[in-house]
Amino acid sequence: MPVDNWHHFLRLRDFRQIINEIPLDGVTRVLELGAGDGVQTDALRQQFSEVISIDISPSSEVHGVIVADASSLPFIDGYFDLVFSSNVLEHIEHIDDSIVEMKRVLALNGIMIHSMPSTTWKMAQIVFRPLASLKKIAYKIV
């Protein structure tokens, strides 16, 4: 777990908790919605043999990410064993269309895992993000 990036630490802690709580035997093909900066993409790739990540607007250069909208997924029906997202659904404009698309690309008996932030999580981000930014600036100055 990264200790130098609080955001990554929290994301990976939540990811590992979710992955360890759900039986995922036989899952090999994973679709990740919202690759972001790739921290969870890397964790998924360590866990599963085939991970395809999409993002409508990637925040950094993530190896192999496909720029795509969740409401129009460029994949064949029933391909993925798992559809995963973390802190993404609340940003999707056409959520109903996107859920239909996720179900379309999900294999029979496939699993969807979606986590969303609570109000407390969002408030903590608003409060602590400036502090984390100040810490980064201070380390660069010193």
Side-chain angles (χ1 to χ4, degrees):
M1 298 269 247
V3 294
D4 61 330
N5 186 312
W6 182 247
H7 175 73
H8 287 176
F9 172 81
L10 292 175
R11 283 293 180 94
L12 290 174
R13 183 201 62 189
D14 293 348
F15 169 79
R16 286 188 173 68
Q17 183 178 9
I18 291 166
I19 294 298
N20 291 331
E21 294 289 325
I22 299 170
L24 297 171
D25 299 330
V27 170
T28 58
R29 295 182 304 243
V30 177
L31 172 62
E32 176 193 28
L33 303 176
D37 65 9
V39 69
Q40 288 180 323
T41 305
D42 291 340
L44 284 165
R45 289 179 176 159
Q46 290 173 18
Q47 185 89 20
F48 303 101
S49 61
E50 182 180 352
V51 176
I52 297 175
S53 296
I54 69 162
D55 200 306
I56 196 164
S57 181
S59 62
S60 66
E61 194 68 33
V62 180
H63 175 71
V65 72
I66 296 170
V67 177
D69 188 320
S71 65
S72 181
L73 296 172
F75 308 109
I76 62 172
D77 296 357
Y79 185 76
F80 296 99
D81 304 310
L82 171 64
V83 175
F84 175 84
S85 75
S86 175
N87 298 305
V88 172
L89 295 185
E90 69 274 16
H91 301 288
I92 294 178
E93 188 174 338
H94 304 288
I95 191 68
D96 293 338
D97 295 338
S98 298
I99 296 292
V100 168
E101 277 292 277
M102 287 180 244
K103 287 172 67 175
R104 179 185 66 76
V105 301
L106 191 63
L108 187 63
N109 298 320
I111 301 167
M112 279 198 222
I113 300 174
H114 302 287
S115 69
M116 295 176 64
S118 65
T119 304
T120 304
W121 170 257
K122 283 304 218 185
M123 290 304 293
Q125 278 187 318
I126 290 168
V127 170
F128 292 116
R129 184 159 222 132
L131 295 174
S133 296
L134 285 173
K135 179 182 165 190
K136 279 184 182 179
I137 292 168
Y139 280 124
K140 286 183 181 181
I141 292 173
V142 177

